[in-house]
Amino acid sequence: MNNVQQDIDERSNLTSLNKLELLLFRLGGDAEGNHSELYAINVFKIREIVAMPHVTPIADSHPHMLGVVNLREQIIPVINLPAVVGCIPASGLKLLLITEFARTTQAFAVEAVEEIVRLEWTSVLPGDKTASGALVTSIAKVDGDVPNTRLAQVLDVESILRQLHSNEEPDVDVDSMGAPINLPEGQVILAADDSVIARALIENALQAMGAKYVMTNSGKQAWDKLEAIDIAAKKEGKTARDKVALVLSDLEMPEMDGFTLTRNIKQDSRFSTIPVIIHSSLSGAANENHVNGVGADAYIAKFVPVELAALLRKTLAKSNTPQKRG
């Protein structure tokens, strides 16, 4: 565990080459103790790994909530991750993965940590291509494109959190979203996110704003859609910019991440004037610096609909304002 923790502490960002690092861990097997599969989570979401401390149960909490821990004067909720995905740990819950994403801190209890692997995003297959369940965004080919590669299920932590907080108030309050966004005729917002829950939240927000949109499941799907839009636009004597008002992209996505998608857009003369907003559960100054480095027009952490609406309006207004020439 100490080696794994050291690896996390020493990791630098891997955003320039369409790569990621995954922490691999085990949650246990089925009722007969078989099939102890590999699961994974992006290292950028991991703050630290600690041995299982004393957990204080909370009255009337969700069955998969073990309770809370007091870690360096911070009260952190603890989620029984094996229970969430239907596994039974053979040796008990030994470790906590302390995670930070989507403006929240939480701990996931697991049975064992395996290792950290560095992969190309092209070695991560979208969940919709693998018939994965709702709690899995993608399947990672741990050893790359080799025969009999190990496979790890990359968990959709956003969906897990939504499952545990399903009784909260609706995510999008239409009355708070302000006036509708009136895009020019034929223009859409192109959005990309690999999480089922995140896509639903984004769609609800865009619908509440009255914005026309096209939703895609990965950076590669968004890029392919942009190229198809460009071909169709040319047949009308128009450009892709006439058809796409803005791109709203997640960062973590199989096949092509949001950094690479943004870089491709900004370095291609067909698309470079299309504004790009990064909408991600990954936060922190390092990630924001990389977002700026690849040319994104704005960054916002998930998921506050009112803030997203305000940033969309601001970015669209700025992109439609004629620039002064020197």
Side-chain angles (χ1 to χ4, degrees), residues 55-120:
V55 178
T56 301
I58 299 298
D60 196 32
S61 60
H62 191 284
H64 297 333
M65 292 291 298
L66 291 176
V68 297
V69 295
N70 184 1
L71 191 62
R72 283 182 287 283
E73 304 307 316
Q74 183 181 13
I75 304 300
I76 301 173
V78 178
I79 298 165
N80 185 338
L81 197 51
V84 171
V85 302
C87 292
I88 301 174
S91 58
L93 298 173
K94 302 292 188 180
L95 302 170
L96 289 184
L97 310 182
I98 311 299
T99 64
E100 292 182 337
F101 59 91
R103 311 179 191 225
T104 64
T105 301
Q106 49 280 308
F108 292 105
V110 303
E111 181 178 39
V113 164
E114 294 275 312
E115 61 180 310
I116 288 175
V117 294
R118 181 174 296 185
L119 299 173
E120 302 276 351

Side-chain angles (χ1 to χ4, degrees), residues 20 24 36 59 99 117 143 173 184 194 226 236 255 286 312:
L20 79 158
L24 306 182
S36 182
T99 64
V117 294
D143 306 305
D173 179 5
D194 67 328
L226 267 177
E236 300 178 23
E255 298 183 300
L312 284 170

Side-chain angles (χ1 to χ4, degrees), residues 283-296:
S283 58
N287 284 307
E288 292 193 40
N289 287 338
H290 281 292
V291 165
N292 294 331
V294 296

